[in-house]
């Protein structure tokens, strides 16, 4: 453990400020501080968690790789916050389902899972802190999933239009928004939203039952992500 005192730690992580003297001594024996440079990988998906990380400064990023190899950011962990996925994995004894790297140079307090679980029993304030963190992280993860899903639908729609263009630079495709939605397994409103956006950008022009591709190269860029 670096020379940081418990007072210095509690000032940056107030959730531990009500520990008594005996708990503080145990805390200092079973926790350590690490510094990590920007871009450094903290832990990879599939690894087991041994400690719970509390960020004292800087920012960590938690992300997953899509099937296409794209990074999907689930949430970020800033100063005064913790990675709830690591706590969940420790409680269930399962590997981490995401990867964590350093977005901004950070200082992290690593606390043993046994100590955190012991403190939860006697400190309702710590329970409340973790509960609030869990709610916030769940909301952030749901937003990330929605964003990734919409991006995937955008790429899929562009791929269909590129395939139907048959190599021509300007092509008129006979289809309806509903037919495209059925093909992609999504709602007609989602298809219509993207097509209207692309029409405003002069990528396509829309007529009833027909889509005219004006900028095939741009559609290819969208399809490739």
């Amino acid at each position: 453990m670096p020379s940081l005192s418990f007072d210095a730690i509690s000032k940056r992580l107030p959730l531990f400020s009500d520990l008594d003297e005996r708990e503080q001594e145990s805390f200092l024996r079973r926790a350590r501080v690490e510094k990590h440079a920007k871009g450094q990988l903290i832990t990879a998906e599939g690894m087991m968690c041994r400690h719970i990380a509390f960020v004292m400064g800087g920012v960590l990023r938690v992300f997953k790789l899509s099937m296409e190899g794209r990074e999907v950011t689930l949430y970020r962990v800033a100063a005064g916050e913790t990675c709830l996925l690591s706590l969940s994995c420790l409680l269930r004894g399962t590997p981490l389902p995401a990867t964590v790297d350093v977005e901004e140079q950070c200082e992290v307090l690593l606390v043993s899972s046994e100590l955190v679980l012991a403190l939860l029993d006697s400190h309702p304030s710590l329970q409340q802190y973790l509960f609030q963190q869990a709610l916030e992280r769940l909301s952030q993860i749901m937003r990330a999933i929605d964003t990734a899903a919409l991006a995937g639908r955008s790429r899929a729609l562009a791929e269909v239009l590129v395939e139907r263009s048959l190599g021509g630079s300007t092509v008129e495709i006979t289809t309806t928004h509903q037919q495209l939605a059925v093909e992609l397994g999504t709602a007609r409103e989602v298809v219509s939203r993207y097509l209207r956006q692309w029409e405003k950008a002069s990528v396509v022009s829309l007529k009833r039952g027909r889509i005219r591709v004006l900028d095939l190269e741009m559609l290819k860029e969208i399809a490739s992500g």
Side-chain angles (χ1 to χ4, degrees):
M1 179 88 178
S3 58
L4 273 175
S5 66
F6 186 84
D7 286 342
I9 292 173
S10 62
K11 284 179 181 178
R12 296 163 74 179
L13 294 170
L15 67 150
F16 296 118
S17 59
D18 61 346
L19 270 61
D20 61 32
E21 186 174 343
R22 179 184 58 81
E23 289 172 329
Q24 291 178 23
E25 292 176 356
S26 176
F27 188 95
L28 291 175
R29 289 195 305 269
R30 302 166 73 180
R32 70 176 187 272
V33 175
E34 292 184 350
K35 294 184 178 181
H36 298 280
K38 180 178 179 179
Q40 186 175 347
L41 187 70
I42 300 296
T43 185
E45 182 172 350
M47 295 178 64
M48 298 298 294
C49 296
R50 304 302 178 195
H51 298 83
I52 299 174
F54 296 87
V55 177
M56 300 176 65
V59 180
L60 298 178
R61 183 176 68 110
V62 182
F63 67 93
K64 285 184 70 70
L65 290 177
S66 70
M67 294 183 66
E68 297 83 13
R70 296 182 179 88
E71 293 183 359
V72 179
T73 299
L74 300 179
Y75 58 86
R76 291 173 172 81
V77 187
E81 299 177 343
T82 187
C83 177
L84 262 294
L85 279 180
S86 63
L87 176 60
S88 172
C89 292
L90 283 167
L91 291 174
R92 295 183 295 124
T94 57
L96 192 70
T99 298
V100 182
D101 67 4
V102 180
E103 190 164 75
E104 295 180 14
Q105 180 176 334
C106 68
E107 193 169 16
V108 179
L109 178 70
L110 297 178
V111 185
S112 73
S113 57
E114 294 83 2
L115 177 58
V116 172
L117 293 176
L119 292 175
L120 282 174
D121 289 336
S122 55
H123 291 274
S125 60
L126 183 57
Q127 295 178 23
Q128 181 65 20
Y129 164 84
L130 293 176
F131 179 70
Q132 291 175 343
Q133 286 272 291
L135 290 179
E136 183 177 345
R137 295 294 177 249
L138 178 60
S139 176
Q140 292 171 333
I141 290 172
M142 292 306 296
R143 286 198 299 269
I145 291 172
D146 286 343
T147 299
L150 287 173
R153 290 172 190 144
S154 173
R155 290 193 297 270
L157 176 58
E159 287 174 0
V160 168
L161 297 182
V162 169
E163 289 173 2
R164 295 196 184 183
S165 296
L166 301 176
S169 58
T170 303
V171 177
E172 193 165 80
I173 301 168
T174 302
T175 188
T176 67
H177 296 195
Q178 181 60 38
Q179 288 170 335
L180 287 170
V182 171
E183 182 174 346
L184 295 171
T186 188
R188 180 185 60 78
E189 291 77 9
V190 173
V191 170
S192 297
R193 186 189 315 157
Y194 283 118
L195 290 175
R196 286 195 295 268
Q197 290 175 359
W198 296 345
E199 184 176 39
K200 289 179 181 179
S202 299
V203 177
V204 300
S205 66
L206 305 176
K207 295 181 180 179
R208 187 176 182 84
R210 288 178 292 174
I211 301 170
R212 189 173 180 82
V213 177
L214 304 177
D215 192 338
L216 184 59
E217 291 306 312
M218 179 57 69
L219 272 182
K220 288 179 179 178
E221 286 187 22
I222 297 171
S224 65

